[in-house]
Short mmCIF file of all heavy atoms in Angstrom, two decimals:
data_model
loop_
_atom_site.label_atom_id
_atom_site.label_comp_id
_atom_site.label_asym_id
_atom_site.label_seq_id
_atom_site.Cartn_x
_atom_site.Cartn_y
_atom_site.Cartn_z
N PRO A 1 65.53 26.39 -52.07
CA PRO A 1 64.12 26.05 -52.28
C PRO A 1 63.95 24.59 -52.69
O PRO A 1 64.87 24.01 -53.26
CB PRO A 1 63.69 26.99 -53.40
CG PRO A 1 64.94 27.42 -54.05
CD PRO A 1 66.05 27.29 -53.04
N PRO A 2 62.79 24.01 -52.43
CA PRO A 2 62.57 22.63 -52.84
C PRO A 2 62.54 22.51 -54.36
O PRO A 2 62.15 23.45 -55.05
CB PRO A 2 61.21 22.27 -52.24
CG PRO A 2 60.59 23.53 -51.81
CD PRO A 2 61.65 24.57 -51.73
N SER A 3 62.96 21.38 -54.86
CA SER A 3 62.88 21.15 -56.30
C SER A 3 61.47 20.68 -56.64
O SER A 3 60.82 20.00 -55.85
CB SER A 3 63.92 20.13 -56.74
OG SER A 3 63.69 18.90 -56.09
N TYR A 4 61.01 21.08 -57.81
CA TYR A 4 59.68 20.67 -58.28
C TYR A 4 59.85 19.30 -58.93
O TYR A 4 60.54 19.17 -59.94
CB TYR A 4 59.18 21.69 -59.31
CG TYR A 4 57.69 21.87 -59.36
CD1 TYR A 4 57.13 23.11 -59.16
CD2 TYR A 4 56.84 20.81 -59.63
CE1 TYR A 4 55.77 23.31 -59.21
CE2 TYR A 4 55.47 20.99 -59.69
CZ TYR A 4 54.94 22.25 -59.48
OH TYR A 4 53.58 22.43 -59.55
N PRO A 5 59.24 18.25 -58.39
CA PRO A 5 59.43 16.91 -58.95
C PRO A 5 58.98 16.84 -60.42
O PRO A 5 57.95 17.40 -60.79
CB PRO A 5 58.55 16.02 -58.07
CG PRO A 5 58.36 16.80 -56.81
CD PRO A 5 58.38 18.24 -57.21
N GLN A 6 59.78 16.17 -61.22
CA GLN A 6 59.49 16.07 -62.66
C GLN A 6 58.13 15.44 -62.92
O GLN A 6 57.39 15.89 -63.80
CB GLN A 6 60.60 15.29 -63.36
CG GLN A 6 60.51 15.33 -64.86
CD GLN A 6 60.62 16.74 -65.43
OE1 GLN A 6 61.31 17.59 -64.89
NE2 GLN A 6 59.94 17.00 -66.52
N THR A 7 57.76 14.40 -62.16
CA THR A 7 56.47 13.75 -62.39
C THR A 7 55.32 14.70 -62.08
O THR A 7 54.30 14.69 -62.77
CB THR A 7 56.32 12.48 -61.54
OG1 THR A 7 56.55 12.79 -60.17
CG2 THR A 7 57.28 11.40 -62.00
N ALA A 8 55.48 15.54 -61.07
CA ALA A 8 54.44 16.53 -60.76
C ALA A 8 54.34 17.56 -61.88
O ALA A 8 53.25 17.99 -62.25
CB ALA A 8 54.72 17.20 -59.42
N ARG A 9 55.48 17.98 -62.41
CA ARG A 9 55.47 18.92 -63.55
C ARG A 9 54.75 18.30 -64.75
O ARG A 9 53.90 18.94 -65.38
CB ARG A 9 56.89 19.28 -63.98
CG ARG A 9 57.59 20.24 -63.09
CD ARG A 9 58.97 20.56 -63.70
NE ARG A 9 59.74 21.39 -62.82
CZ ARG A 9 59.67 22.71 -62.79
NH1 ARG A 9 58.86 23.33 -63.60
NH2 ARG A 9 60.41 23.39 -61.95
N GLN A 10 55.11 17.08 -65.07
CA GLN A 10 54.53 16.42 -66.24
C GLN A 10 53.02 16.25 -66.10
O GLN A 10 52.30 16.30 -67.08
CB GLN A 10 55.19 15.06 -66.46
CG GLN A 10 56.63 15.16 -66.91
CD GLN A 10 57.33 13.82 -66.92
OE1 GLN A 10 56.88 12.86 -66.30
NE2 GLN A 10 58.45 13.75 -67.64
N ASN A 11 52.56 16.04 -64.87
CA ASN A 11 51.13 15.84 -64.62
C ASN A 11 50.41 17.14 -64.25
O ASN A 11 49.25 17.11 -63.86
CB ASN A 11 50.93 14.79 -63.54
CG ASN A 11 51.37 13.43 -63.99
OD1 ASN A 11 51.06 13.00 -65.09
ND2 ASN A 11 52.12 12.73 -63.16
N HIS A 12 51.13 18.26 -64.37
CA HIS A 12 50.57 19.59 -64.09
C HIS A 12 49.98 19.68 -62.68
O HIS A 12 48.93 20.29 -62.47
CB HIS A 12 49.52 19.98 -65.14
CG HIS A 12 50.04 19.87 -66.54
ND1 HIS A 12 50.90 20.80 -67.07
CD2 HIS A 12 49.84 18.94 -67.51
CE1 HIS A 12 51.20 20.44 -68.31
NE2 HIS A 12 50.58 19.31 -68.60
N ILE A 13 50.66 19.08 -61.71
CA ILE A 13 50.19 19.10 -60.33
C ILE A 13 50.74 20.34 -59.64
O ILE A 13 51.94 20.60 -59.67
CB ILE A 13 50.63 17.83 -59.58
CG1 ILE A 13 49.99 16.60 -60.23
CG2 ILE A 13 50.26 17.92 -58.10
CD1 ILE A 13 50.49 15.28 -59.70
N GLN A 14 49.85 21.10 -59.04
CA GLN A 14 50.20 22.29 -58.29
C GLN A 14 49.52 22.21 -56.93
O GLN A 14 48.61 21.42 -56.73
CB GLN A 14 49.71 23.55 -59.01
CG GLN A 14 50.26 23.70 -60.41
CD GLN A 14 49.78 24.96 -61.07
OE1 GLN A 14 50.42 25.98 -60.95
NE2 GLN A 14 48.65 24.88 -61.75
N GLY A 15 49.94 23.04 -56.01
CA GLY A 15 49.28 23.08 -54.72
C GLY A 15 50.23 23.52 -53.62
O GLY A 15 51.40 23.79 -53.86
N THR A 16 49.69 23.58 -52.42
CA THR A 16 50.45 23.99 -51.26
C THR A 16 50.59 22.81 -50.31
O THR A 16 49.61 22.12 -50.04
CB THR A 16 49.77 25.16 -50.54
OG1 THR A 16 49.67 26.26 -51.45
CG2 THR A 16 50.54 25.59 -49.30
N VAL A 17 51.80 22.61 -49.84
CA VAL A 17 52.07 21.58 -48.84
C VAL A 17 52.42 22.30 -47.55
O VAL A 17 53.26 23.20 -47.54
CB VAL A 17 53.24 20.66 -49.27
CG1 VAL A 17 53.55 19.64 -48.20
CG2 VAL A 17 52.92 19.98 -50.59
N ALA A 18 51.77 21.92 -46.46
CA ALA A 18 52.05 22.49 -45.15
C ALA A 18 52.49 21.36 -44.22
O ALA A 18 51.85 20.31 -44.17
CB ALA A 18 50.83 23.20 -44.59
N VAL A 19 53.58 21.60 -43.50
CA VAL A 19 54.18 20.56 -42.66
C VAL A 19 54.44 21.12 -41.27
O VAL A 19 55.05 22.18 -41.12
CB VAL A 19 55.51 20.07 -43.27
CG1 VAL A 19 56.13 18.98 -42.41
CG2 VAL A 19 55.31 19.59 -44.69
N ASP A 20 53.96 20.41 -40.24
CA ASP A 20 54.34 20.75 -38.86
C ASP A 20 55.84 20.55 -38.74
O ASP A 20 56.37 19.50 -39.13
CB ASP A 20 53.66 19.81 -37.85
CG ASP A 20 52.30 20.31 -37.41
OD1 ASP A 20 52.07 21.53 -37.45
OD2 ASP A 20 51.48 19.47 -37.03
N THR A 21 56.52 21.55 -38.22
CA THR A 21 57.98 21.49 -38.12
C THR A 21 58.42 22.03 -36.77
O THR A 21 57.86 23.01 -36.29
CB THR A 21 58.62 22.33 -39.25
OG1 THR A 21 58.11 21.87 -40.50
CG2 THR A 21 60.13 22.21 -39.24
N TRP A 22 59.39 21.37 -36.17
CA TRP A 22 59.98 21.84 -34.92
C TRP A 22 61.39 22.33 -35.23
O TRP A 22 62.17 21.60 -35.84
CB TRP A 22 60.05 20.73 -33.88
CG TRP A 22 58.71 20.41 -33.32
CD1 TRP A 22 58.17 20.87 -32.15
CD2 TRP A 22 57.72 19.55 -33.88
NE1 TRP A 22 56.91 20.36 -31.96
CE2 TRP A 22 56.60 19.55 -33.02
CE3 TRP A 22 57.66 18.79 -35.04
CZ2 TRP A 22 55.46 18.82 -33.28
CZ3 TRP A 22 56.52 18.07 -35.31
CH2 TRP A 22 55.44 18.09 -34.42
N ILE A 23 61.69 23.55 -34.80
CA ILE A 23 63.03 24.09 -34.95
C ILE A 23 63.73 23.92 -33.61
O ILE A 23 63.31 24.47 -32.60
CB ILE A 23 63.01 25.59 -35.33
CG1 ILE A 23 62.07 25.85 -36.51
CG2 ILE A 23 64.43 26.08 -35.60
CD1 ILE A 23 62.38 25.12 -37.77
N GLY A 24 64.79 23.13 -33.60
CA GLY A 24 65.49 22.81 -32.35
C GLY A 24 66.33 23.95 -31.82
O GLY A 24 66.52 24.97 -32.49
N THR A 25 66.84 23.77 -30.65
CA THR A 25 67.69 24.79 -30.02
C THR A 25 68.99 24.98 -30.79
O THR A 25 69.66 25.99 -30.63
CB THR A 25 68.01 24.41 -28.56
OG1 THR A 25 68.64 23.13 -28.55
CG2 THR A 25 66.76 24.39 -27.71
N ASP A 26 69.30 24.05 -31.67
CA ASP A 26 70.48 24.16 -32.53
C ASP A 26 70.14 24.73 -33.91
O ASP A 26 71.01 24.84 -34.76
CB ASP A 26 71.15 22.80 -32.68
CG ASP A 26 70.21 21.73 -33.22
OD1 ASP A 26 69.01 22.03 -33.47
OD2 ASP A 26 70.67 20.59 -33.40
N GLY A 27 68.86 25.06 -34.14
CA GLY A 27 68.43 25.61 -35.42
C GLY A 27 68.12 24.58 -36.48
O GLY A 27 67.76 24.92 -37.60
N VAL A 28 68.23 23.31 -36.12
CA VAL A 28 67.97 22.23 -37.08
C VAL A 28 66.47 21.89 -37.06
O VAL A 28 65.91 21.62 -36.00
CB VAL A 28 68.81 20.99 -36.75
CG1 VAL A 28 68.46 19.82 -37.65
CG2 VAL A 28 70.29 21.32 -36.85
N PRO A 29 65.82 21.90 -38.24
CA PRO A 29 64.40 21.57 -38.28
C PRO A 29 64.16 20.05 -38.26
O PRO A 29 64.96 19.28 -38.79
CB PRO A 29 63.94 22.16 -39.61
CG PRO A 29 65.15 22.19 -40.45
CD PRO A 29 66.32 22.35 -39.53
N ARG A 30 63.06 19.67 -37.60
CA ARG A 30 62.58 18.29 -37.63
C ARG A 30 61.19 18.31 -38.22
O ARG A 30 60.32 19.06 -37.76
CB ARG A 30 62.54 17.69 -36.24
CG ARG A 30 63.91 17.43 -35.64
CD ARG A 30 63.76 16.87 -34.28
NE ARG A 30 62.68 17.67 -33.64
CZ ARG A 30 62.15 17.46 -32.46
NH1 ARG A 30 62.56 16.51 -31.74
NH2 ARG A 30 61.22 18.21 -31.98
N VAL A 31 60.99 17.50 -39.23
CA VAL A 31 59.71 17.46 -39.94
C VAL A 31 58.73 16.59 -39.18
O VAL A 31 59.06 15.48 -38.77
CB VAL A 31 59.91 16.91 -41.37
CG1 VAL A 31 58.61 16.72 -42.07
CG2 VAL A 31 60.82 17.84 -42.15
N GLY A 32 57.53 17.12 -39.00
CA GLY A 32 56.45 16.37 -38.36
C GLY A 32 55.45 15.91 -39.40
O GLY A 32 55.82 15.52 -40.51
N GLN A 33 54.21 16.04 -39.07
CA GLN A 33 53.12 15.56 -39.91
C GLN A 33 52.77 16.58 -41.00
O GLN A 33 52.78 17.78 -40.77
CB GLN A 33 51.89 15.31 -39.04
CG GLN A 33 50.70 14.77 -39.78
CD GLN A 33 49.56 14.46 -38.83
OE1 GLN A 33 49.64 14.71 -37.63
NE2 GLN A 33 48.49 13.94 -39.36
N VAL A 34 52.45 16.07 -42.20
CA VAL A 34 51.95 16.93 -43.26
C VAL A 34 50.51 17.28 -42.91
O VAL A 34 49.69 16.40 -42.67
CB VAL A 34 52.01 16.22 -44.64
CG1 VAL A 34 51.37 17.07 -45.72
CG2 VAL A 34 53.45 15.89 -44.99
N VAL A 35 50.21 18.58 -42.85
CA VAL A 35 48.87 19.01 -42.44
C VAL A 35 48.03 19.54 -43.60
O VAL A 35 46.83 19.73 -43.46
CB VAL A 35 48.93 20.06 -41.30
CG1 VAL A 35 49.51 19.44 -40.06
CG2 VAL A 35 49.72 21.28 -41.72
N SER A 36 48.67 19.77 -44.75
CA SER A 36 47.95 20.18 -45.95
C SER A 36 48.59 19.45 -47.11
O SER A 36 49.78 19.63 -47.39
CB SER A 36 48.02 21.69 -46.15
OG SER A 36 47.39 22.06 -47.36
N HIS A 37 47.81 18.63 -47.79
CA HIS A 37 48.35 17.74 -48.82
C HIS A 37 48.14 18.32 -50.22
O HIS A 37 47.16 18.99 -50.49
CB HIS A 37 47.64 16.38 -48.75
CG HIS A 37 47.77 15.74 -47.41
ND1 HIS A 37 48.81 14.92 -47.08
CD2 HIS A 37 46.99 15.81 -46.31
CE1 HIS A 37 48.67 14.50 -45.83
NE2 HIS A 37 47.57 15.02 -45.34
N ALA A 38 49.08 18.03 -51.10
CA ALA A 38 48.94 18.38 -52.52
C ALA A 38 49.08 17.10 -53.35
O ALA A 38 48.17 16.74 -54.07
CB ALA A 38 49.97 19.42 -52.93
N SER A 39 50.20 16.44 -53.21
CA SER A 39 50.44 15.14 -53.84
C SER A 39 51.62 14.51 -53.12
O SER A 39 52.43 15.21 -52.53
CB SER A 39 50.75 15.29 -55.33
OG SER A 39 52.09 15.66 -55.54
N PRO A 40 51.74 13.20 -53.18
CA PRO A 40 52.87 12.54 -52.52
C PRO A 40 54.22 13.06 -53.01
O PRO A 40 55.16 13.22 -52.22
CB PRO A 40 52.68 11.06 -52.84
CG PRO A 40 51.21 10.92 -53.04
CD PRO A 40 50.78 12.21 -53.70
N ASP A 41 54.35 13.34 -54.31
CA ASP A 41 55.62 13.85 -54.84
C ASP A 41 55.96 15.20 -54.25
O ASP A 41 57.11 15.46 -53.88
CB ASP A 41 55.56 13.97 -56.37
CG ASP A 41 55.59 12.63 -57.08
OD1 ASP A 41 56.00 11.63 -56.45
OD2 ASP A 41 55.20 12.59 -58.26
N LEU A 42 54.99 16.11 -54.17
CA LEU A 42 55.24 17.43 -53.62
C LEU A 42 55.51 17.37 -52.12
O LEU A 42 56.34 18.12 -51.60
CB LEU A 42 54.08 18.38 -53.92
CG LEU A 42 53.80 18.66 -55.40
CD1 LEU A 42 52.63 19.63 -55.55
CD2 LEU A 42 55.03 19.19 -56.10
N GLU A 43 54.83 16.48 -51.43
CA GLU A 43 55.07 16.31 -49.99
C GLU A 43 56.49 15.82 -49.74
O GLU A 43 57.19 16.33 -48.84
CB GLU A 43 54.06 15.32 -49.41
CG GLU A 43 52.65 15.86 -49.39
CD GLU A 43 51.60 14.81 -49.08
OE1 GLU A 43 51.95 13.75 -48.50
OE2 GLU A 43 50.43 15.04 -49.43
N ALA A 44 56.96 14.87 -50.53
CA ALA A 44 58.32 14.36 -50.36
C ALA A 44 59.35 15.45 -50.66
O ALA A 44 60.34 15.60 -49.92
CB ALA A 44 58.54 13.15 -51.27
N ALA A 45 59.13 16.23 -51.72
CA ALA A 45 60.05 17.32 -52.06
C ALA A 45 60.11 18.35 -50.95
O ALA A 45 61.18 18.88 -50.61
CB ALA A 45 59.63 17.97 -53.37
N THR A 46 58.97 18.63 -50.34
CA THR A 46 58.91 19.61 -49.25
C THR A 46 59.69 19.10 -48.03
O THR A 46 60.53 19.81 -47.48
CB THR A 46 57.45 19.90 -48.86
OG1 THR A 46 56.78 20.46 -49.99
CG2 THR A 46 57.36 20.86 -47.69
N SER A 47 59.41 17.88 -47.63
CA SER A 47 60.11 17.30 -46.47
C SER A 47 61.62 17.23 -46.70
O SER A 47 62.41 17.55 -45.81
CB SER A 47 59.57 15.91 -46.15
OG SER A 47 58.22 16.00 -45.73
N ASN A 48 62.01 16.83 -47.91
CA ASN A 48 63.45 16.74 -48.23
C ASN A 48 64.12 18.10 -48.17
O ASN A 48 65.27 18.21 -47.74
CB ASN A 48 63.65 16.12 -49.61
CG ASN A 48 63.31 14.64 -49.63
OD1 ASN A 48 63.32 13.97 -48.61
ND2 ASN A 48 62.99 14.13 -50.80
N ALA A 49 63.42 19.14 -48.58
CA ALA A 49 64.00 20.49 -48.54
C ALA A 49 64.10 21.00 -47.10
O ALA A 49 65.14 21.54 -46.71
CB ALA A 49 63.16 21.45 -49.37
N ILE A 50 63.05 20.83 -46.32
CA ILE A 50 63.02 21.36 -44.95
C ILE A 50 64.18 20.84 -44.11
O ILE A 50 64.81 21.59 -43.38
CB ILE A 50 61.67 21.08 -44.27
CG1 ILE A 50 60.56 21.90 -44.94
CG2 ILE A 50 61.73 21.39 -42.77
CD1 ILE A 50 59.15 21.53 -44.49
N VAL A 51 64.46 19.54 -44.22
CA VAL A 51 65.52 18.97 -43.38
C VAL A 51 66.92 19.47 -43.77
O VAL A 51 67.86 19.29 -43.01
CB VAL A 51 65.49 17.43 -43.36
CG1 VAL A 51 64.19 16.92 -42.75
CG2 VAL A 51 65.72 16.84 -44.74
N GLN A 52 67.05 20.11 -44.91
CA GLN A 52 68.34 20.66 -45.33
C GLN A 52 68.53 22.11 -44.88
O GLN A 52 69.62 22.65 -44.98
CB GLN A 52 68.48 20.59 -46.85
CG GLN A 52 68.51 19.16 -47.35
CD GLN A 52 68.58 19.09 -48.86
OE1 GLN A 52 69.34 19.84 -49.47
NE2 GLN A 52 67.80 18.22 -49.45
N TRP A 53 67.47 22.74 -44.40
CA TRP A 53 67.54 24.15 -44.00
C TRP A 53 68.16 24.28 -42.62
O TRP A 53 68.13 23.36 -41.80
CB TRP A 53 66.16 24.78 -44.01
CG TRP A 53 65.52 24.81 -45.36
CD1 TRP A 53 66.11 24.62 -46.57
CD2 TRP A 53 64.14 25.03 -45.64
NE1 TRP A 53 65.19 24.73 -47.57
CE2 TRP A 53 63.98 24.97 -47.04
CE3 TRP A 53 63.03 25.27 -44.84
CZ2 TRP A 53 62.74 25.16 -47.65
CZ3 TRP A 53 61.80 25.45 -45.46
CH2 TRP A 53 61.66 25.39 -46.85
N GLN A 54 68.67 25.44 -42.33
CA GLN A 54 69.22 25.77 -41.02
C GLN A 54 68.62 27.09 -40.58
O GLN A 54 68.57 28.03 -41.35
CB GLN A 54 70.75 25.89 -41.10
CG GLN A 54 71.42 26.24 -39.79
CD GLN A 54 71.41 25.10 -38.79
OE1 GLN A 54 71.55 23.95 -39.15
NE2 GLN A 54 71.22 25.41 -37.53
N TYR A 55 68.14 27.14 -39.36
CA TYR A 55 67.50 28.34 -38.82
C TYR A 55 68.34 28.92 -37.69
O TYR A 55 69.11 28.22 -37.05
CB TYR A 55 66.12 28.01 -38.25
CG TYR A 55 65.09 27.66 -39.29
CD1 TYR A 55 64.96 26.37 -39.78
CD2 TYR A 55 64.23 28.63 -39.79
CE1 TYR A 55 64.02 26.04 -40.74
CE2 TYR A 55 63.28 28.32 -40.74
CZ TYR A 55 63.18 27.02 -41.21
OH TYR A 55 62.25 26.70 -42.16
N GLU A 56 68.12 30.18 -37.42
CA GLU A 56 68.65 30.82 -36.22
C GLU A 56 67.68 30.42 -35.11
O GLU A 56 66.48 30.64 -35.21
CB GLU A 56 68.65 32.34 -36.41
CG GLU A 56 69.37 33.09 -35.34
CD GLU A 56 70.88 32.93 -35.43
OE1 GLU A 56 71.42 32.76 -36.54
OE2 GLU A 56 71.51 32.97 -34.36
N PRO A 57 68.15 29.79 -34.03
CA PRO A 57 67.21 29.34 -32.99
C PRO A 57 66.50 30.52 -32.32
O PRO A 57 67.06 31.61 -32.20
CB PRO A 57 68.08 28.58 -32.00
CG PRO A 57 69.49 28.84 -32.37
CD PRO A 57 69.52 29.43 -33.74
N ALA A 58 65.27 30.26 -31.89
CA ALA A 58 64.52 31.26 -31.13
C ALA A 58 65.17 31.41 -29.75
O ALA A 58 65.73 30.46 -29.21
CB ALA A 58 63.07 30.83 -30.99
N ILE A 59 65.09 32.60 -29.21
CA ILE A 59 65.69 32.89 -27.91
C ILE A 59 64.60 33.34 -26.94
O ILE A 59 63.77 34.18 -27.27
CB ILE A 59 66.76 34.00 -28.03
CG1 ILE A 59 67.84 33.61 -29.05
CG2 ILE A 59 67.37 34.34 -26.67
CD1 ILE A 59 68.69 32.44 -28.65
N CYS A 60 64.61 32.78 -25.75
CA CYS A 60 63.70 33.18 -24.67
C CYS A 60 64.53 33.31 -23.40
O CYS A 60 65.23 32.36 -23.02
CB CYS A 60 62.59 32.16 -24.50
SG CYS A 60 61.37 32.61 -23.26
N SER A 61 64.48 34.47 -22.77
CA SER A 61 65.25 34.75 -21.56
C SER A 61 66.75 34.48 -21.77
O SER A 61 67.43 33.94 -20.91
CB SER A 61 64.73 33.93 -20.38
OG SER A 61 63.39 34.26 -20.11
N GLY A 62 67.21 34.81 -22.98
CA GLY A 62 68.62 34.67 -23.28
C GLY A 62 69.09 33.27 -23.64
O GLY A 62 70.27 33.05 -23.86
N LYS A 63 68.17 32.30 -23.69
CA LYS A 63 68.54 30.92 -24.01
C LYS A 63 67.79 30.44 -25.25
O LYS A 63 66.63 30.80 -25.45
CB LYS A 63 68.20 30.00 -22.84
CG LYS A 63 68.99 30.28 -21.58
CD LYS A 63 68.64 29.29 -20.49
CE LYS A 63 69.45 29.59 -19.24
NZ LYS A 63 69.17 28.63 -18.19
N PRO A 64 68.44 29.62 -26.07
CA PRO A 64 67.75 29.06 -27.23
C PRO A 64 66.63 28.12 -26.78
O PRO A 64 66.78 27.38 -25.80
CB PRO A 64 68.82 28.29 -27.99
CG PRO A 64 70.06 28.34 -27.18
CD PRO A 64 69.83 29.20 -25.99
N VAL A 65 65.50 28.18 -27.50
CA VAL A 65 64.36 27.32 -27.20
C VAL A 65 63.85 26.68 -28.48
O VAL A 65 64.02 27.22 -29.57
CB VAL A 65 63.20 28.09 -26.52
CG1 VAL A 65 63.59 28.58 -25.14
CG2 VAL A 65 62.73 29.24 -27.39
N GLU A 66 63.25 25.51 -28.33
CA GLU A 66 62.63 24.83 -29.46
C GLU A 66 61.29 25.50 -29.75
O GLU A 66 60.57 25.88 -28.82
CB GLU A 66 62.42 23.35 -29.13
CG GLU A 66 61.82 22.57 -30.27
CD GLU A 66 61.69 21.09 -29.96
OE1 GLU A 66 60.82 20.73 -29.15
OE2 GLU A 66 62.46 20.31 -30.53
N VAL A 67 60.96 25.64 -31.02
CA VAL A 67 59.66 26.20 -31.40
C VAL A 67 59.01 25.30 -32.44
O VAL A 67 59.69 24.60 -33.19
CB VAL A 67 59.78 27.64 -31.97
CG1 VAL A 67 60.25 28.61 -30.92
CG2 VAL A 67 60.68 27.68 -33.18
N GLN A 68 57.70 25.33 -32.44
CA GLN A 68 56.93 24.59 -33.42
C GLN A 68 56.30 25.59 -34.37
O GLN A 68 55.79 26.63 -33.96
CB GLN A 68 55.84 23.76 -32.75
CG GLN A 68 55.01 22.97 -33.73
CD GLN A 68 53.89 22.19 -33.05
OE1 GLN A 68 53.65 22.33 -31.86
NE2 GLN A 68 53.20 21.38 -33.82
N THR A 69 56.32 25.26 -35.65
CA THR A 69 55.72 26.13 -36.66
C THR A 69 55.19 25.26 -37.79
O THR A 69 55.46 24.07 -37.85
CB THR A 69 56.76 27.15 -37.19
OG1 THR A 69 56.10 28.08 -38.03
CG2 THR A 69 57.87 26.47 -37.95
N VAL A 70 54.42 25.87 -38.65
CA VAL A 70 53.96 25.18 -39.86
C VAL A 70 54.66 25.84 -41.04
O VAL A 70 54.56 27.04 -41.24
CB VAL A 70 52.42 25.28 -40.02
CG1 VAL A 70 51.99 24.66 -41.35
CG2 VAL A 70 51.72 24.58 -38.87
N VAL A 71 55.41 25.03 -41.77
CA VAL A 71 56.10 25.50 -42.97
C VAL A 71 55.20 25.21 -44.17
O VAL A 71 54.75 24.07 -44.34
CB VAL A 71 57.46 24.80 -43.14
CG1 VAL A 71 58.12 25.21 -44.44
CG2 VAL A 71 58.36 25.10 -41.95
N LYS A 72 54.92 26.25 -44.97
CA LYS A 72 54.08 26.10 -46.15
C LYS A 72 54.91 26.38 -47.40
O LYS A 72 55.60 27.39 -47.48
CB LYS A 72 52.91 27.08 -46.12
CG LYS A 72 51.93 26.82 -45.01
CD LYS A 72 50.80 27.82 -45.05
CE LYS A 72 49.86 27.61 -43.88
NZ LYS A 72 48.77 28.62 -43.89
N ILE A 73 54.81 25.47 -48.36
CA ILE A 73 55.48 25.63 -49.65
C ILE A 73 54.41 25.56 -50.73
O ILE A 73 53.63 24.60 -50.79
CB ILE A 73 56.52 24.52 -49.89
CG1 ILE A 73 57.54 24.45 -48.77
CG2 ILE A 73 57.19 24.71 -51.25
CD1 ILE A 73 58.42 25.66 -48.65
N LYS A 74 54.38 26.60 -51.56
CA LYS A 74 53.40 26.65 -52.66
C LYS A 74 54.11 26.29 -53.95
O LYS A 74 55.13 26.89 -54.30
CB LYS A 74 52.79 28.04 -52.76
CG LYS A 74 51.72 28.16 -53.79
CD LYS A 74 51.07 29.53 -53.77
CE LYS A 74 49.95 29.61 -54.77
NZ LYS A 74 49.30 30.92 -54.74
N TYR A 75 53.58 25.32 -54.65
CA TYR A 75 54.11 24.87 -55.94
C TYR A 75 53.18 25.36 -57.04
O TYR A 75 51.99 25.04 -57.04
CB TYR A 75 54.19 23.34 -55.99
CG TYR A 75 55.19 22.75 -55.03
CD1 TYR A 75 54.84 22.45 -53.72
CD2 TYR A 75 56.49 22.52 -55.43
CE1 TYR A 75 55.76 21.89 -52.84
CE2 TYR A 75 57.43 21.96 -54.56
CZ TYR A 75 57.04 21.67 -53.27
OH TYR A 75 57.96 21.11 -52.41
N THR A 76 53.72 26.15 -57.95
CA THR A 76 52.94 26.62 -59.10
C THR A 76 53.78 26.47 -60.37
O THR A 76 55.00 26.60 -60.34
CB THR A 76 52.52 28.10 -58.95
OG1 THR A 76 53.70 28.89 -58.78
CG2 THR A 76 51.60 28.30 -57.78
N LEU A 77 53.11 26.19 -61.44
CA LEU A 77 53.76 26.04 -62.73
C LEU A 77 53.53 27.31 -63.55
O LEU A 77 52.43 27.86 -63.55
CB LEU A 77 53.19 24.84 -63.49
CG LEU A 77 53.47 23.48 -62.85
CD1 LEU A 77 52.64 22.40 -63.52
CD2 LEU A 77 54.94 23.15 -62.95
N SER A 78 54.56 27.73 -64.25
CA SER A 78 54.45 28.86 -65.17
C SER A 78 54.30 28.30 -66.58
O SER A 78 55.02 27.39 -66.96
CB SER A 78 55.68 29.74 -65.09
OG SER A 78 55.85 30.24 -63.80
N TYR A 79 53.38 28.86 -67.29
CA TYR A 79 53.16 28.37 -68.68
C TYR A 79 53.58 29.40 -69.68
O TYR A 79 53.61 30.53 -69.50
CB TYR A 79 51.69 28.02 -68.88
CG TYR A 79 51.24 26.87 -68.00
CD1 TYR A 79 50.55 27.10 -66.83
CD2 TYR A 79 51.55 25.57 -68.36
CE1 TYR A 79 50.14 26.04 -66.02
CE2 TYR A 79 51.15 24.52 -67.55
CZ TYR A 79 50.44 24.77 -66.38
OH TYR A 79 50.04 23.73 -65.60
#
């Protein structure tokens, strides 16, 4: 999971970040445009986490295919 940036914690920033993401035929995600903003710190944490993930590639007619999806990460603080 993405790490919650310390500055966002200190400033009590919460929210959801949504990022256009392409999952390649090798299962490696490529980050596109942020489509739902929360704060620059949360957006950076989200992008940094996504590029470290590995997916099982989608299969169509027995062959791996690239797919586009929106990855959403919700950041909430517990008090």
